[in-house]
């Protein structure tokens, strides 16, 4: 079964409507592509920085970050501290 993907018929109810999708069994071959994660992250930060500047110019208000930490896990505190630093860097 290597390389086989099977997706069956499905339906879901979203906003009162029913959506349906169907695919049969098909061979899926995807080429791997090496990406530069640091470069992409920097590009995303630059785009967000531009959007933040435009938002502040348009509204006069800066976007904020709200966090709720339950407990005193050091890894959670480190994660939040790093998110706060990332937000500070983009505005």
């Amino acid at each position: 079964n290597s390389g086989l993907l099977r997706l069956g018929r499905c339906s879901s109810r979203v906003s009162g409507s029913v959506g349906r999708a169907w695919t049969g069994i098909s061979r899926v071959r995807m080429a791997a592509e090496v990406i530069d994660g640091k470069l992409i992250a920097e590009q995303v930060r630059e785009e967000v920085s531009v959007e933040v500047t435009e938002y502040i110019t348009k509204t006069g208000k800066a976007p904020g970050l709200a966090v709720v930490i339950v407990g005193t896990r050091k890894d959670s505190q480190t994660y939040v501290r790093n998110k706060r630093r990332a937000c500070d860097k983009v505005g």
Side-chain angles (χ1 to χ4, degrees):
N1 286 342
S2 177
L4 290 179
L5 174 64
R6 180 181 176 158
L7 299 174
R9 190 172 175 88
C10 66
S11 66
S12 62
R13 187 165 291 281
V14 178
S15 301
S17 65
V18 175
R20 298 192 186 282
W22 183 88
T23 63
I25 297 175
S26 60
R27 287 209 175 270
V28 177
R29 287 210 163 87
M30 299 176 70
E33 179 180 351
V34 177
I35 61 171
D36 184 342
K38 290 185 180 189
L39 176 63
I40 293 170
E42 182 59 34
Q43 291 170 343
V44 169
R45 282 191 292 272
E46 288 175 13
E47 291 173 12
V48 170
S49 182
V50 168
E51 291 176 9
V52 167
T53 301
E54 290 172 355
Y55 180 81
I56 293 170
T57 301
K58 186 185 285 187
T59 66
K61 299 177 185 177
L65 174 66
V67 178
V68 176
I69 298 179
V70 178
T72 57
R73 288 182 53 165
K74 294 292 182 188
D75 56 342
S76 294
Q77 294 170 357
T78 300
Y79 177 83
V80 171
R81 183 174 52 252
N82 289 337
K83 292 299 140 188
R84 186 171 287 137
R85 286 179 185 162
C87 289
D88 289 343
K89 286 182 181 180
V90 297

